[in-house]
Amino acid sequence: VIKCKAAVAWEVDKPLSIEEVEVAPPKAHEVRVKIVATGICRTDDHVLKGSFPNIDYPVIPGHEGAGIVESIGEGVTCVKPGEKVIPLCLPQCGECSSCLNPDTNCCLKTHLYESQNLMPDKTSRFTCKGKAIHHFLWISTFSEYTVMPDSAIARIDDDAPLDKVCLFGCGFSTGYGAAINTAKVKPGSTCAIFGLGGVGLSVVMGCKSAGASRIIGIDINKDKFTKARELGATECINPQDFKKPIQEVLVEMTGHGVDYSFEVIGHTDTMVAALASCHMNSGTCVMVGAPPSGSQLSFDPMLLFTGRTWKGSIIGGWKTKDSIPKLVSGYMEKKFNPDVLITHTLPFEKINEGFELLQSGK
């Protein structure tokens, strides 16, 4: 058993509490990892607010990390102690109908199909003050040491900088892949991205690398526009600057709506606006932002009847175990640079300050 620090969410709507936890050794087909760096993603904020589905508290959140294998359980062959790894918030078991289909990536071991609040044997590897603490998406990267099944880990390049490539565990891969894999953006096309946070900016990078000729960034926080332009947005607009709905603005700007729109916020009203802003027949709208659990959509079905396509995208459509190591290798070859998405680097003890920066749009 290893004793270390972890950030525990004891209950909904309370800040994280840095606690000493005990981390049990890995059982068969499990891996214990020393986490070196972790990103803070809006989904972790949803966990703190109680708007992520089927979470049990107390829980150790965090799902965008990178680290080094400390030890492995019986039967683990994909990683060895000392290797650099990225924990996978979407597993790839290699055996389910999604994993066996070359065109799909949402492994049926995902939390959205079957809870990942405990290890596969329905027990926890974390205890704190004598109490079992739940895992989050099997990986709980807000702990100095964490345990996950071997379907939820990928070995990466030995020389990859862990404080940068942790973003490949969720944010960068999710946005970049939504453009490349899910939308399959074509050269010369027009794209609109609703929400210019870390994931939205990664969509901008994906659209640019796919050769889109017009990339329109949309956000109510105009402080996001400089970075969006640096990364490839050709123009940026703030919906609050217009009297009319944003979808009407986009249809006017383009003459007929955009070819591809991306909702990267997770609000139902912007999901419908993003759908309405793409071409009535050939337009594709991709849902990237996680909707709050229990929300319902209300929209005019005529929007789809004319031929639009509305798609979801989870972790950018990547088969995680196969693809994330390749994305990291691409980063090492300087094919893309998500480093620009990192605005602040804080010591672990200041994790709640990180959430304040996220909530304030900084």
Side-chain angles (χ1 to χ4, degrees):
V1 174
I2 290 178
K3 285 187 177 177
C4 68
K5 287 198 190 83
V8 179
W10 287 102
E11 52 186 305
V12 171
D13 281 333
K14 290 276 193 299
L16 288 163
S17 175
I18 303 283
E19 306 279 5
E20 183 180 78
V21 298
E22 290 92 46
V23 185
K27 295 191 182 176
H29 291 287
E30 294 176 1
V31 181
R32 186 160 59 181
V33 173
K34 178 183 195 221
I35 296 289
V36 174
T38 181
I40 295 177
C41 171
R42 180 67 69 176
T43 304
D44 299 307
D45 194 49
H46 290 331
V47 173
L48 301 190
K49 302 261 197 319
S51 62
F52 193 78
N54 306 323
I55 295 298
D56 294 322
Y57 300 80
V59 62
I60 297 172
H63 65 284
E64 190 178 80
I68 296 164
V69 176
E70 178 273 333
S71 60
I72 58 175
E74 194 187 325
V76 173
T77 55
C78 58
V79 293
K80 295 193 214 47
E83 290 179 342
K84 288 186 178 179
V85 289
I86 287 181
L88 306 172
C89 59
L90 175 66
Q92 187 183 340
C93 73
E95 295 163 0
C96 69
S97 56
S98 272
C99 287
L100 294 171
N101 179 339
D103 302 323
T104 54
N105 76 313
C106 191
C107 174
L108 298 185
K109 295 275 188 270
T110 170
H111 178 77
L112 301 174
Y113 191 72
E114 198 176 296
S115 165
Q116 293 176 327
N117 299 337
L118 295 168
M119 288 290 101
D121 72 351
K122 306 297 178 220
T123 63
S124 171
R125 302 292 163 270
F126 294 121
T127 42
C128 179
K129 300 175 181 171
K131 207 174 165 165
I133 308 292
H134 294 93
H135 296 256
F136 176 55
L137 303 181
W138 274 350
I139 59 177
S140 294
T141 62
F142 292 172
S143 178
E144 292 175 324
Y145 287 86
T146 182
V147 175
M148 66 216 60
D150 58 3
S151 58
I153 194 166
R155 187 194 171 186
I156 56 166
D157 290 20
D158 292 332
D159 44 359
L162 298 176
D163 60 335
K164 303 287 193 286
V165 300
C166 57
L167 297 187
F168 286 85
C170 177
F172 176 73
S173 306
T174 294
Y176 190 78
I180 302 286
N181 299 327
T182 311
K184 295 184 168 61
V185 169
K186 290 180 180 157
S189 61
T190 300
C191 302
I193 295 100
F194 288 70
L196 299 172
V199 184
L201 292 171
S202 301
V203 176
V204 171
M205 286 191 246
C207 292
K208 185 183 179 184
S209 83
S213 59
R214 201 168 171 195
I215 300 171
I216 305 165
I218 303 149
D219 205 299
I220 55 173
N221 177 356
K222 59 182 187 302
D223 296 343
K224 304 281 185 188
F225 293 171
T226 308
K227 200 162 266 188
R229 286 195 185 95
E230 275 168 29
L231 292 172
T234 53
E235 53 221 293
C236 292
I237 57 175
N238 181 344
Q240 294 171 337
D241 293 344
F242 301 92
K243 295 263 192 307
K244 57 181 70 165
I246 192 68
Q247 56 266 40
E248 289 179 27
V249 175
L250 287 161
V251 169
E252 271 177 25
M253 283 171 73
T254 54
H256 45 65
V258 298
D259 299 309
Y260 306 96
S261 61
F262 300 85
E263 202 280 359
V264 204
I265 305 159
H267 285 175
T268 50
D269 51 352
T270 38
M271 287 174 189
V272 178
L275 179 68
S277 67
C278 68
H279 189 285
M280 70 183 290
N281 179 228
S282 59
T284 295
C285 177
V286 181
M287 190 188 295
V288 190
S293 62
S295 51
Q296 297 284 318
L297 272 172
S298 172
F299 69 99
D300 179 351
M302 195 54 76
L303 287 169
L304 287 178
F305 180 77
T306 57
R308 287 180 181 90
T309 303
W310 209 356
K311 303 175 93 167
S313 181
I314 187 164
I315 311 294
W318 303 105
K319 284 192 184 283
T320 49
K321 220 175 169 71
D322 295 342
S323 303
I324 287 177
K326 290 178 189 156
L327 287 167
V328 171
S329 298
Y331 165 81
M332 299 304 286
E333 292 158 15
K334 302 201 167 22
K335 284 184 182 160
F336 26 69
N337 183 23
D339 295 8
V340 289
L341 304 176
I342 301 170
T343 53
H344 299 75
T345 303
L346 301 168
F348 185 38
E349 289 71 27
K350 294 192 173 172
I351 191 164
N352 284 314
E353 284 180 35
F355 277 91
E356 285 160 22
L357 290 162
L358 173 78
Q359 289 152 3
S360 62
K362 292 189 171 75

